[in-house]
Coordinates of all heavy atoms in Angstrom, one line a residue:
M191 N 99.1 113.8 107.6 CA 98.7 112.5 107.9 C 97.2 112.3 107.9 O 96.7 111.3 107.6 CB 99.3 112.2 109.3 CG 98.9 110.9 109.9 SD 100.2 109.9 110.2 CE 99.5 108.6 111.1
R192 N 96.5 113.4 108.2 CA 95.1 113.3 108.3 C 94.5 113.0 106.9 O 93.5 112.3 106.8 CB 94.5 114.6 108.8 CG 94.8 114.8 110.3 CD 94.1 116.0 110.8 NE 94.5 116.2 112.2 CZ 94.1 117.3 112.9 NH1 93.3 118.2 112.4 NH2 94.5 117.4 114.1
A193 N 95.0 113.6 105.9 CA 94.5 113.4 104.5 C 94.7 111.9 104.1 O 93.8 111.3 103.6 CB 95.2 114.3 103.5
G194 N 95.8 111.4 104.4 CA 96.1 110.0 104.1 C 95.2 109.0 104.8 O 94.7 108.0 104.3
A195 N 95.0 109.3 106.1 CA 94.1 108.5 106.9 C 92.7 108.6 106.4 O 92.0 107.6 106.4 CB 94.2 108.9 108.4
L196 N 92.3 109.8 106.0 CA 91.0 110.0 105.5 C 90.8 109.2 104.2 O 89.8 108.5 104.0 CB 90.7 111.4 105.2 CG 89.3 111.8 104.7 CD1 88.2 111.4 105.8 CD2 89.2 113.3 104.5
V197 N 91.8 109.2 103.3 CA 91.7 108.4 102.1 C 91.6 106.9 102.4 O 90.8 106.2 101.8 CB 92.9 108.8 101.2 CG1 93.0 107.8 100.0 CG2 92.9 110.2 100.6
C198 N 92.4 106.5 103.3 CA 92.4 105.0 103.6 C 91.0 104.7 104.2 O 90.5 103.6 103.9 CB 93.5 104.7 104.6 SG 95.1 104.6 103.9
L199 N 90.5 105.5 105.0 CA 89.2 105.3 105.6 C 88.1 105.2 104.6 O 87.2 104.4 104.6 CB 88.9 106.3 106.7 CG 87.5 106.2 107.4 CD1 87.5 104.9 108.2 CD2 87.3 107.4 108.3
L200 N 88.1 106.2 103.6 CA 87.1 106.2 102.6 C 87.2 105.0 101.7 O 86.2 104.5 101.3 CB 87.3 107.5 101.8 CG 86.8 108.8 102.5 CD1 87.1 110.0 101.6 CD2 85.4 108.8 102.8
V201 N 88.4 104.6 101.3 CA 88.6 103.4 100.5 C 88.0 102.2 101.2 O 87.3 101.4 100.7 CB 90.0 103.2 100.1 CG1 90.2 101.8 99.5 CG2 90.5 104.3 99.1
F202 N 88.3 102.1 102.5 CA 87.9 100.9 103.3 C 86.3 100.9 103.4 O 85.7 99.9 103.2 CB 88.5 100.9 104.7 CG 88.1 99.8 105.5 CD1 88.5 98.5 105.3 CD2 87.2 100.0 106.6 CE1 88.1 97.4 106.0 CE2 86.8 98.9 107.4 CZ 87.2 97.6 107.1
V203 N 85.8 102.1 103.8 CA 84.3 102.1 104.0 C 83.6 101.9 102.6 O 82.6 101.2 102.6 CB 83.9 103.5 104.6 CG1 82.4 103.7 104.6 CG2 84.4 103.6 106.0
G204 N 84.2 102.4 101.6 CA 83.6 102.2 100.3 C 83.6 100.7 99.9 O 82.6 100.2 99.3
W205 N 84.7 100.1 100.2 CA 84.8 98.6 99.8 C 83.8 97.8 100.7 O 83.2 96.9 100.2 CB 86.2 98.1 100.0 CG 86.2 96.7 99.7 CD1 86.3 96.1 98.4 CD2 86.1 95.6 100.6 NE1 86.3 94.7 98.5 CE2 86.1 94.4 99.8 CE3 85.9 95.5 101.9 CZ2 86.0 93.1 100.4 CZ3 85.8 94.2 102.5 CH2 85.9 93.1 101.7
V206 N 83.7 98.2 102.0 CA 82.7 97.4 102.8 C 81.3 97.6 102.3 O 80.5 96.7 102.3 CB 82.9 97.9 104.3 CG1 81.7 97.4 105.2 CG2 84.2 97.4 104.9
A207 N 81.0 98.8 101.9 CA 79.6 99.1 101.4 C 79.4 98.3 100.1 O 78.3 97.6 100.0 CB 79.4 100.6 101.1
L208 N 80.4 98.2 99.3 CA 80.3 97.5 98.0 C 80.2 96.0 98.3 O 79.4 95.3 97.7 CB 81.5 97.7 97.1 CG 81.6 96.9 95.8 CD1 80.5 97.4 94.9 CD2 82.9 97.1 95.2
A209 N 80.9 95.5 99.3 CA 80.8 94.1 99.7 C 79.5 93.7 100.2 O 78.9 92.7 99.9 CB 81.9 93.7 100.7
L210 N 78.9 94.6 101.0 CA 77.6 94.3 101.6 C 76.5 94.3 100.5 O 75.6 93.5 100.5 CB 77.2 95.3 102.7 CG 78.0 95.2 104.0 CD1 77.7 96.3 104.9 CD2 77.6 93.8 104.6
V211 N 76.6 95.3 99.6 CA 75.7 95.3 98.5 C 75.8 94.0 97.6 O 74.8 93.4 97.2 CB 75.9 96.6 97.6 CG1 75.1 96.5 96.3 CG2 75.4 97.8 98.4
Q212 N 77.1 93.6 97.4 CA 77.3 92.4 96.6 C 76.8 91.2 97.3 O 76.2 90.3 96.7 CB 78.8 92.3 96.3 CG 79.2 91.0 95.5 CD 78.7 91.1 94.1 OE1 78.4 92.1 93.6 NE2 78.7 90.0 93.4
L213 N 76.9 91.1 98.6 CA 76.5 90.0 99.4 C 74.9 89.9 99.4 O 74.4 88.8 99.2 CB 76.9 90.2 100.9 CG 76.5 89.1 101.9 CD1 77.1 87.8 101.6 CD2 76.8 89.6 103.3
W214 N 74.2 91.0 99.5 CA 72.8 90.9 99.5 C 72.1 90.9 98.2 O 71.0 90.3 98.0 CB 72.2 92.1 100.4 CG 72.5 91.8 101.8 CD1 73.5 92.3 102.6 CD2 71.7 91.0 102.7 NE1 73.5 91.8 103.9 CE2 72.3 91.0 104.0 CE3 70.6 90.2 102.5 CZ2 71.8 90.3 105.1 CZ3 70.1 89.5 103.6 CH2 70.7 89.6 104.9
F215 N 72.6 91.6 97.2 CA 71.9 91.8 95.9 C 72.7 91.3 94.7 O 72.0 91.1 93.7 CB 71.6 93.3 95.7 CG 70.8 93.9 96.8 CD1 71.4 94.9 97.7 CD2 69.5 93.5 97.1 CE1 70.7 95.4 98.7 CE2 68.8 94.1 98.1 CZ 69.4 95.1 98.9
A216 N 74.0 91.1 94.8 CA 74.8 90.5 93.7 C 74.6 91.2 92.4 O 74.3 90.6 91.4 CB 74.6 89.0 93.6
P217 N 74.8 92.6 92.4 CA 74.6 93.3 91.1 C 75.9 93.1 90.2 O 75.8 93.4 89.0 CB 74.5 94.8 91.5 CG 75.3 94.8 92.8 CD 75.1 93.5 93.5
L218 N 77.0 92.7 90.7 CA 78.2 92.6 89.9 C 78.6 91.1 89.7 O 78.2 90.3 90.5 CB 79.4 93.3 90.6 CG 79.2 94.7 91.0 CD1 80.3 95.2 91.9 CD2 79.1 95.6 89.8
S219 N 79.3 90.9 88.6 CA 79.8 89.5 88.4 C 80.9 89.2 89.4 O 81.5 90.2 90.0 CB 80.3 89.3 87.0 OG 81.4 90.1 86.8
G220 N 81.2 88.0 89.6 CA 82.2 87.6 90.6 C 83.6 88.1 90.1 O 84.4 88.6 90.9
E221 N 83.8 88.1 88.8 CA 85.1 88.6 88.3 C 85.3 90.1 88.5 O 86.3 90.5 88.9 CB 85.2 88.3 86.8 CG 86.5 88.7 86.2 CD 86.5 88.3 84.7 OE1 85.8 87.4 84.2 OE2 87.3 89.0 84.0
L222 N 84.2 90.8 88.2 CA 84.3 92.3 88.4 C 84.5 92.7 89.9 O 85.2 93.5 90.3 CB 83.1 93.0 87.8 CG 83.0 94.5 88.0 CD1 84.2 95.1 87.3 CD2 81.7 95.0 87.4
F223 N 83.7 92.0 90.8 CA 83.9 92.2 92.2 C 85.3 91.9 92.7 O 85.8 92.7 93.5 CB 82.8 91.4 93.0 CG 82.9 91.6 94.5 CD1 82.5 92.8 95.0 CD2 83.5 90.6 95.3 CE1 82.6 93.0 96.4 CE2 83.6 90.8 96.7 CZ 83.1 92.0 97.2
F224 N 85.9 90.8 92.2 CA 87.3 90.5 92.6 C 88.2 91.6 92.1 O 89.1 92.0 92.8 CB 87.7 89.2 92.0 CG 89.1 88.8 92.2 CD1 89.4 88.4 93.5 CD2 90.0 88.8 91.3 CE1 90.8 88.0 93.8 CE2 91.3 88.5 91.5 CZ 91.7 88.1 92.8
K225 N 88.0 92.1 90.9 CA 88.9 93.2 90.4 C 88.8 94.4 91.2 O 89.8 95.1 91.5 CB 88.5 93.5 88.9 CG 89.0 92.4 87.9 CD 88.6 92.8 86.5 CE 88.9 91.7 85.5 NZ 88.5 92.0 84.2
L226 N 87.5 94.8 91.6 CA 87.3 95.9 92.4 C 87.9 95.8 93.8 O 88.5 96.7 94.4 CB 85.8 96.3 92.5 CG 85.2 96.8 91.2 CD1 83.7 96.9 91.4 CD2 85.8 98.1 90.9
T227 N 87.9 94.5 94.3 CA 88.5 94.3 95.6 C 90.0 94.4 95.6 O 90.6 95.0 96.5 CB 88.1 92.8 96.1 OG1 86.7 92.8 96.2 CG2 88.8 92.5 97.4
V228 N 90.6 93.9 94.5 CA 92.1 94.0 94.4 C 92.5 95.5 94.2 O 93.4 96.0 94.8 CB 92.6 93.1 93.2 CG1 94.0 93.4 92.9 CG2 92.4 91.7 93.5
T229 N 91.7 96.2 93.4 CA 91.9 97.6 93.2 C 91.8 98.4 94.5 O 92.7 99.3 94.8 CB 91.0 98.2 92.1 OG1 91.1 97.5 90.9 CG2 91.2 99.7 91.9
A230 N 90.8 98.2 95.3 CA 90.6 98.9 96.6 C 91.8 98.5 97.5 O 92.3 99.4 98.2 CB 89.3 98.5 97.2
G231 N 92.2 97.3 97.5 CA 93.3 96.9 98.4 C 94.6 97.6 97.9 O 95.4 98.1 98.8
A232 N 94.8 97.7 96.6 CA 96.0 98.4 96.1 C 96.0 99.9 96.5 O 97.0 100.5 96.9 CB 96.2 98.2 94.6
L233 N 94.8 100.5 96.3 CA 94.7 101.9 96.6 C 94.9 102.2 98.1 O 95.6 103.1 98.5 CB 93.3 102.4 96.2 CG 93.0 102.6 94.8 CD1 91.6 103.0 94.5 CD2 94.0 103.7 94.2
F234 N 94.4 101.3 98.9 CA 94.6 101.4 100.4 C 96.0 101.3 100.8 O 96.5 102.1 101.5 CB 93.8 100.3 101.1 CG 93.8 100.4 102.6 CD1 92.9 101.1 103.3 CD2 94.8 99.7 103.3 CE1 92.9 101.2 104.6 CE2 94.8 99.7 104.7 CZ 93.9 100.5 105.4
I235 N 96.8 100.3 100.2 CA 98.2 100.2 100.5 C 99.0 101.3 100.0 O 99.9 101.8 100.7 CB 98.7 98.8 100.0 CG1 98.1 97.7 100.7 CG2 100.2 98.7 100.0 CD1 98.3 96.3 100.2
V236 N 98.7 101.8 98.8 CA 99.5 102.9 98.3 C 99.2 104.2 99.1 O 100.2 104.9 99.5 CB 99.1 103.2 96.8 CG1 99.6 104.5 96.3 CG2 99.7 102.1 95.9
A237 N 98.0 104.5 99.5 CA 97.7 105.6 100.3 C 98.3 105.5 101.7 O 98.9 106.5 102.2 CB 96.2 105.8 100.4
L238 N 98.3 104.4 102.2 CA 98.9 104.2 103.5 C 100.5 104.3 103.5 O 101.0 105.0 104.3 CB 98.6 102.8 104.1 CG 99.1 102.4 105.5 CD1 98.5 103.3 106.5 CD2 98.8 101.0 105.8
A239 N 101.1 103.8 102.4 CA 102.5 103.9 102.3 C 102.9 105.4 102.1 O 103.9 105.9 102.7 CB 103.0 103.1 101.1
I240 N 102.2 106.1 101.2 CA 102.5 107.5 101.0 C 102.3 108.3 102.3 O 103.2 109.2 102.7 CB 101.6 108.1 99.9 CG1 102.0 107.5 98.6 CG2 101.7 109.6 99.9 CD1 101.1 107.9 97.4
T241 N 101.3 108.0 103.1 CA 101.1 108.7 104.3 C 102.2 108.5 105.3 O 102.7 109.4 106.0 CB 99.7 108.2 104.9 OG1 98.7 108.5 104.0 CG2 99.5 108.9 106.3
L242 N 102.6 107.2 105.4 CA 103.7 106.9 106.4 C 105.0 107.5 105.9 O 105.8 108.0 106.8 CB 103.9 105.4 106.5 CG 102.7 104.7 107.2 CD1 102.9 103.2 107.1 CD2 102.5 105.2 108.6
V243 N 105.3 107.5 104.6 CA 106.6 108.2 104.2 C 106.6 109.7 104.4 O 107.6 110.2 104.9 CB 106.8 107.8 102.7 CG1 107.9 108.7 102.1 CG2 107.1 106.4 102.5
V244 N 105.5 110.3 104.1 CA 105.4 111.8 104.3 C 105.5 112.1 105.8 O 106.2 113.1 106.2 CB 104.1 112.3 103.7 CG1 103.8 113.8 104.1 CG2 104.2 112.2 102.2
N245 N 104.8 111.3 106.6 CA 104.9 111.5 108.1 C 106.3 111.4 108.6 O 106.8 112.2 109.4 CB 103.9 110.6 108.8 CG 103.8 110.8 110.3 OD1 104.0 112.0 110.7 ND2 103.6 109.8 111.0
E246 N 107.0 110.3 108.2 CA 108.4 110.1 108.6 C 109.3 111.2 108.1 O 110.2 111.7 108.9 CB 108.9 108.7 108.1 CG 110.2 108.3 108.7 CD 110.1 108.0 110.2 OE1 109.0 107.7 110.7 OE2 111.2 108.2 110.9
Y247 N 109.1 111.7 106.9 CA 109.9 112.7 106.4 C 109.7 114.0 107.2 O 110.7 114.7 107.5 CB 109.6 113.0 104.9 CG 110.3 114.2 104.3 CD1 111.7 114.1 104.0 CD2 109.7 115.4 104.1 CE1 112.3 115.2 103.5 CE2 110.3 116.5 103.6 CZ 111.6 116.4 103.3 OH 112.3 117.5 102.8
G248 N 108.5 114.3 107.5 CA 108.2 115.5 108.3 C 108.8 115.4 109.7 O 109.3 116.4 110.2
R249 N 108.7 114.2 110.3 CA 109.3 114.0 111.6 C 110.8 114.2 111.6 O 111.3 114.9 112.5 CB 108.9 112.6 112.2 CG 109.4 112.4 113.6 CD 109.1 111.0 114.1 NE 107.6 110.9 114.2 CZ 106.9 109.8 114.0 NH1 107.5 108.7 113.8 NH2 105.6 109.8 114.2
N250 N 111.4 113.6 110.6 CA 112.9 113.8 110.5 C 113.3 115.2 110.3 O 114.3 115.7 110.8 CB 113.5 112.9 109.5 CG 113.5 111.4 109.9 OD1 113.4 111.1 111.0 ND2 113.7 110.6 108.9
K251 N 112.5 115.9 109.5 CA 112.8 117.4 109.2 C 112.7 118.2 110.5 O 113.5 119.0 110.7 CB 111.9 117.9 108.1 CG 112.2 119.3 107.7 CD 111.5 119.7 106.4 CE 111.7 121.1 106.0 NZ 112.8 121.8 106.5
R252 N 111.6 117.9 111.3 CA 111.5 118.7 112.5 C 112.6 118.4 113.5 O 113.1 119.3 114.2 CB 110.1 118.3 113.2 CG 109.0 118.9 112.5 CD 107.7 118.8 113.4 NE 107.4 117.4 113.7 CZ 106.7 116.6 112.9 NH1 106.2 117.0 111.7 NH2 106.4 115.4 113.2
L253 N 113.1 117.1 113.5 CA 114.2 116.8 114.4 C 115.5 117.4 114.0 O 116.3 117.9 114.8 CB 114.4 115.3 114.5 CG 113.3 114.5 115.3 CD1 113.5 113.0 115.2 CD2 113.3 114.9 116.8
K254 N 115.7 117.5 112.6 CA 116.9 118.1 112.1 C 116.9 119.6 112.4 O 117.9 120.3 112.8 CB 117.1 117.9 110.6 CG 117.6 116.5 110.3 CD 117.9 116.4 108.8 CE 118.4 115.0 108.5 NZ 118.7 114.8 107.1
D255 N 115.7 120.3 112.1 CA 115.6 121.7 112.4 C 115.7 122.0 113.9 O 116.2 123.1 114.2 CB 114.2 122.2 111.9 CG 114.1 122.2 110.4 OD1 115.1 122.0 109.7 OD2 112.9 122.3 109.9
G256 N 115.4 121.1 114.7 CA 115.5 121.3 116.2 C 116.9 121.0 116.7 O 117.2 121.2 117.8
G257 N 117.8 120.5 115.8 CA 119.2 120.2 116.2 C 119.4 118.9 116.9 O 120.4 118.6 117.5
Y258 N 118.4 118.0 116.8 CA 118.5 116.7 117.5 C 119.2 115.7 116.6 O 119.6 114.6 117.1 CB 117.1 116.2 117.9 CG 116.5 117.1 118.9 CD1 115.4 117.9 118.6 CD2 117.0 117.1 120.2 CE1 114.8 118.7 119.6 CE2 116.4 117.9 121.2 CZ 115.3 118.7 120.9 OH 114.8 119.5 121.8
L259 N 119.2 115.9 115.3 CA 119.8 114.9 114.3 C 120.9 115.7 113.6 O 120.8 116.9 113.4 CB 118.8 114.4 113.3 CG 117.7 113.5 113.8 CD1 116.8 113.1 112.7 CD2 118.3 112.2 114.5
D260 N 121.9 115.0 113.2 CA 123.0 115.6 112.4 C 122.7 115.6 111.0 O 122.2 114.7 110.4 CB 124.3 114.9 112.7 CG 124.8 115.1 114.1 OD1 124.4 116.1 114.7 OD2 125.5 114.2 114.6

């Protein structure tokens, strides 16, 4: 779970840094900035979904190994 949370955090912090640079200096065109924003959002959602699925799988495995689930 830590790796997935770290990936989500890095994507978010990277996007915020890019947004601040774009706000103050505008080095990118509006179209390119929009594409990068959509890409960062997609990466964030995919990393979060993978993290949650792996975490749930591990939790269920521990419960089955402990005899709490059939």
Side-chain angles (χ1 to χ4, degrees):
M191 174 120 172
R192 289 183 184 179
L196 183 62
V197 169
C198 287
L199 181 64
L200 288 175
V201 168
F202 179 73
V203 169
W205 181 83
V206 168
L208 178 66
L210 288 173
V211 168
Q212 180 68 15
L213 177 68
W214 285 97
F215 304 111
L218 306 172
S219 68
E221 181 180 337
L222 180 59
F223 179 71
F224 177 73
K225 288 179 182 180
L226 289 173
T227 297
V228 171
T229 302
L233 287 174
F234 184 87
I235 290 171
V236 167
L238 183 63
I240 289 171
T241 300
L242 293 176
V243 167
V244 168
N245 186 31
E246 190 65 25
Y247 175 76
R249 181 178 296 151
N250 285 344
K251 183 165 177 26
R252 283 191 304 273
L253 288 173
K254 281 185 181 181
D255 290 346
Y258 295 109
L259 293 178
D260 292 331

